[in-house]
Each structure stands twice: as structure tokens, then as C-alpha cells.
Amino acid sequence: MNSQTNKQAIKANSVFLHSQRGIELDALFGPRSMDAQTHAGLTLSLEISLYALFGSFITVMILLPSQVDNIQAMFPSTVLTDPIGFVLRIKMALFIAALVPLFWALHLSSKRLKGSLFARRLKG
């Protein structure tokens, strides 16, 4: 028996990746897998958690010491030639890392505000 005659060619089409429109994550779960209220609640909780992540980055950045003695007490077995510069680099890295969740949360806030304004315009 020849088993190669029964084989069919398999097409591998992406479910959520389209070259014209980019990545569509909503298509991954299906068009009716989540109602609008649940989607809005998840988006709001993601937005709040991103603002909290931004706040935690800023809080850690503020709580890091800025005096030489306190910085050296954080790293007792390490010889730091420039402890203030070392902590400043850590603070700048935390600040730059804090910008990512901040801008993502601001993007979600603007989409939510635009949607509520559009819905209000349709009602009245």
C-alpha cells in the first residue's frame, strides 16, 4: 500500500497575524469569546496595574539612598569607586523602565476616554 497517495498538503495560516493589519490578538480568542463588559473590566484592571507598576518604580527610585555612607552600607563587600554615580545609573534605569508602563497606561486611558466620549456623542 502506498501511504503517500493519501497525504494532503497542509496549509499553515496564522490565526491572528495579518500582513496588512499587523497582529490581531482579539482574533486569537474568537470574535464572541468575551463580552464587552468583561473586556472593559480587564482593560481597566490592566490600566490600573500599569499605573501601580509605574508608581512602584518611582517609589523604589526615591527610596534608594543618595549619601555615600548609605550607598556603601547597601553593598558592604563591594568596593565602589563612584557610589553616587552608581546609584544615579540605577535610578536612571528605573526611571526609563518606569516610562514604558506609564505610556502604555496612558494609551489605554486615552482609548477608554475616546470610547466613552464617542458613546456619549451617539446617545445625545
Side-chain angles (χ1 to χ4, degrees):
M1 211 191 249
N2 193 356
S3 64
Q4 290 183 351
T5 57
N6 295 335
K7 290 185 180 179
Q8 296 176 355
I10 298 174
K11 291 183 180 179
N13 292 329
S14 177
V15 176
F16 62 98
L17 182 64
H18 299 286
S19 61
Q20 294 87 7
R21 293 175 278 175
I23 295 176
E24 294 180 6
L25 292 177
D26 292 337
L28 181 65
F29 302 108
R32 292 182 178 85
S33 63
M34 186 184 304
D35 59 344
Q37 186 176 7
T38 306
H39 186 268
L42 288 175
T43 304
L44 181 63
S45 63
L46 177 65
E47 180 184 338
I48 291 170
S49 65
L50 287 169
Y51 282 126
L53 183 62
F54 166 73
S56 66
F57 274 127
I58 298 300
T59 304
V60 168
M61 186 180 76
I62 290 171
L63 292 178
L64 283 174
S66 56
Q67 286 85 19
V68 175
D69 294 335
N70 296 338
I71 295 169
Q72 288 177 341
M74 283 179 59
F75 307 100
S77 62
T78 306
V79 177
L80 298 174
T81 57
D82 184 19
I84 294 178
F86 177 70
V87 169
L88 282 177
R89 283 192 292 272
I90 291 174
K91 288 184 178 187
M92 285 305 298
L94 286 173
F95 178 71
I96 291 170
L99 293 179
V100 175
L102 174 68
F103 285 130
W104 194 11
L106 288 173
H107 170 69
L108 290 176
S109 295
S110 68
K111 281 176 49 176
R112 188 171 45 84
L113 179 63
K114 187 189 310 182
S116 64
L117 291 175
F118 183 71
R120 189 176 299 155
R121 188 182 308 155
L122 287 178
K123 286 181 183 178

